[in-house]
Amino acid sequence: MSDVSTYCFGLILTLGLSLGMTVTAAPLDEALKPLPPVAQLDPAKVELGRQLFNEPRLSVNNTLSCASCHHLESGGADNKPFSIGFDGKPVEINTPSVFNASLNFKQFWNGRVDTLEAQVEQVVISPVEMGSDWKTVVQNLSALPAYQAAFKQAYPDGVTAANVQNALATYERTLLTPNSRFDQYLLGNTEILTIQEKYGYQRFKDYGCIACHQGINIGGNMFQKFGVMGDYFKVRGNPVESDLGRYLLTKDEEDRHVFKVPSLRNIAVTAPYFHDASAKTLEEAVDVMFKFQLGRNPSQEDKDLIIQFLKTLTGEWSGKPL
C-alpha cells in the first residue's frame, strides 16, 4: 500500500469511526490464507455421507465407523497414539484429523492417493482398519430400505461402491473449521490476537516454519523428509516399517522418511503428534521440529511465543470452538 493510499485509508477509518459507522478492515496480504467458506454441495449427498460416516456396517464385523477414529467433537481424530482397528489391534500410524482434509493435496501420511474418494476406498478394505470389501459393503447397505431410498434420492444408480465413496467424500468436504482467531486476524481484525501471539507468528516466519507449513491449510500441500537436519529415527530408536514414508510406495531412496507435511490447523487439540505419535504435547512437537527440521536452538521465550501463535489456529465446527 502506497503512502497516499495508507493516508486515505486512515482518513476514511477515522471519519467512519467518528460518525459511528462500522468499518471493515481489509484482509492482510500474508503467505498464510484464511479458510474458504464451505462449498454449497448437494444436500442429499451430504446427509447421506453424514450417515455413512457414522455407519459401522462399513467394517467387516460391524464394529467400526469413520467416526470411531475421527471424533468431530474433539479435533477430528481420536487422541490415541494409534487408533484401534476392527480386530481390536492398534493400527500402524497415527490417525490425522478429518477436519480440513479436503484441502490437502494428497491423502494419508505417505500421500498415496489424490482424493478423498480414494482414501475412503482404501480404508474400508484395509486389513488393519475396517477389513471389509466393497462387494460386502454394497450388499449390506442395499439390504436396508432407508439406505435404498437415500441413495436413490442422491444417485440415479443407487447403492454402488463409487457412490458410497463419493457420498462420504462429499460430507468430508463440508468438514472445515473456519473462524479461528488467526483467520479473523488474516481477514483484517488485527486486534483479535495478543501482542505475544503476533510475536509468535513473526517468529514462526522468521525461523522458517512457514517454508513447509503454508497456504490455506497451513501445511498439507507438499512432501518433506522427517529429519532434514538430523537423524530423527536413529535418535528415537525402534524403527518400524511405517517410518519409511513414501519409500514404501516409490522404493526411491530419496523418499525414505518422507511424509506429507501435516496441516497445523487445530494443532492444539489434536495431540499426539507426528506419524509415530511420539510427541505427546505441543511443546515436545515444537522441540522436535526445531532440532530435526530446522537445526536451530531457539530461546525458550521464542518457543513459547510460537506455541501461543499455534493455539490461535483452532477453529470452529457447527458454530462452536473445537
Side-chain angles (χ1 to χ4, degrees):
M1 188 178 285
S2 69
D3 291 341
V4 174
S5 298
T6 301
Y7 172 77
C8 291
F9 179 77
L11 186 61
I12 292 169
L13 181 63
T14 301
L15 180 60
L17 291 175
S18 68
L19 295 175
M21 297 166 57
T22 299
V23 178
T24 302
L28 304 184
D29 183 16
E30 292 283 340
L32 303 184
K33 304 299 180 185
L35 280 178
V38 177
Q40 295 299 306
L41 303 173
D42 185 331
K45 293 179 180 179
V46 172
E47 173 55 23
L48 177 56
R50 185 195 66 78
Q51 294 176 40
L52 292 169
F53 190 83
N54 294 279
E55 179 53 76
R57 292 178 181 87
L58 296 182
S59 64
V60 66
N61 56 358
N62 300 334
T63 62
L64 205 64
S65 71
C66 304
S68 299
C69 301
H70 296 288
H71 300 170
L72 301 186
E73 69 281 2
S74 58
D78 62 3
N79 301 322
K80 294 183 174 68
F82 303 103
S83 299
I84 303 301
F86 75 93
D87 57 0
K89 299 177 182 177
V91 300
E92 299 170 344
I93 203 163
N94 180 249
T95 298
S97 173
V98 71
F99 281 126
N100 309 308
S102 62
L103 303 177
N104 293 331
F105 83 131
K106 303 281 185 181
Q107 303 300 323
F108 296 116
W109 278 99
N110 58 15
R112 63 183 180 270
V113 302
D114 295 335
T115 67
L116 291 172
E117 285 86 350
Q119 187 262 348
V120 170
E121 189 271 334
Q122 289 204 13
V123 168
V124 167
I125 64 175
S126 166
V128 297
E129 293 177 88
M130 290 190 168
S132 191
D133 65 86
W134 281 102
K135 181 179 179 180
T136 300
V137 168
V138 170
Q139 288 176 343
N140 289 344
L141 297 178
S142 297
L144 300 171
Y147 275 125
Q148 290 179 22
F151 272 93
K152 276 297 183 182
Q153 181 182 358
Y155 301 94
D157 52 346
V159 185
T160 69
N163 291 345
V164 174
Q165 294 158 21
N166 179 256
L168 274 163
T170 301
Y171 174 62
E172 289 180 18
R173 291 186 180 104
T174 71
L175 298 180
L176 303 185
T177 56
N179 209 37
S180 71
R181 289 197 300 119
F182 185 65
D183 278 346
Q184 295 177 56
Y185 170 81
L186 291 176
L187 290 169
N189 183 3
T190 56
E191 299 305 309
I192 194 72
L193 300 188
T194 67
I195 189 66
Q196 289 80 13
E197 291 163 345
K198 292 174 183 176
Y199 281 145
Y201 178 38
Q202 189 60 50
R203 301 295 193 278
F204 182 84
K205 294 187 285 187
D206 292 343
Y207 278 108
C209 311
I210 201 168
C212 295
H213 294 286
Q214 53 180 254
I216 292 173
N217 222 13
I218 316 181
N221 63 356
M222 65 184 292
F223 293 117
Q224 184 58 272
K225 181 178 180 180
F226 195 178
V228 174
M229 304 300 293
D231 193 335
Y232 166 81
F233 295 97
K234 182 177 180 180
V235 173
R236 190 206 66 190
N238 302 312
V240 294
E241 185 179 61
S242 59
D243 291 335
L244 296 174
R246 285 189 59 74
Y247 178 83
L248 292 172
L249 307 176
T250 68
K251 306 304 180 185
D252 184 338
E253 194 59 36
E254 291 188 358
D255 284 334
R256 186 180 292 271
H257 306 319
V258 169
F259 298 87
K260 179 185 69 181
V261 175
S263 166
L264 293 184
R265 288 193 173 276
N266 308 311
I267 193 70
V269 296
T270 55
Y273 304 105
F274 309 138
H275 76 285
D276 59 359
S278 60
K280 305 300 186 289
T281 66
L282 200 50
E283 289 76 10
E284 290 177 37
V286 168
D287 283 340
V288 169
M289 287 292 98
F290 268 113
K291 181 175 182 178
F292 293 101
Q293 298 307 109
L294 300 174
R296 305 287 294 274
N297 186 26
S299 67
Q300 186 61 49
E301 179 186 15
D302 281 355
K303 289 191 291 186
D304 290 343
L305 288 171
I306 288 174
I307 289 168
Q308 288 188 60
F309 159 66
L310 293 175
K311 290 179 179 179
T312 72
L313 303 180
T314 303
E316 298 178 353
W317 179 66
S318 291
K320 299 177 181 179
L322 289 176

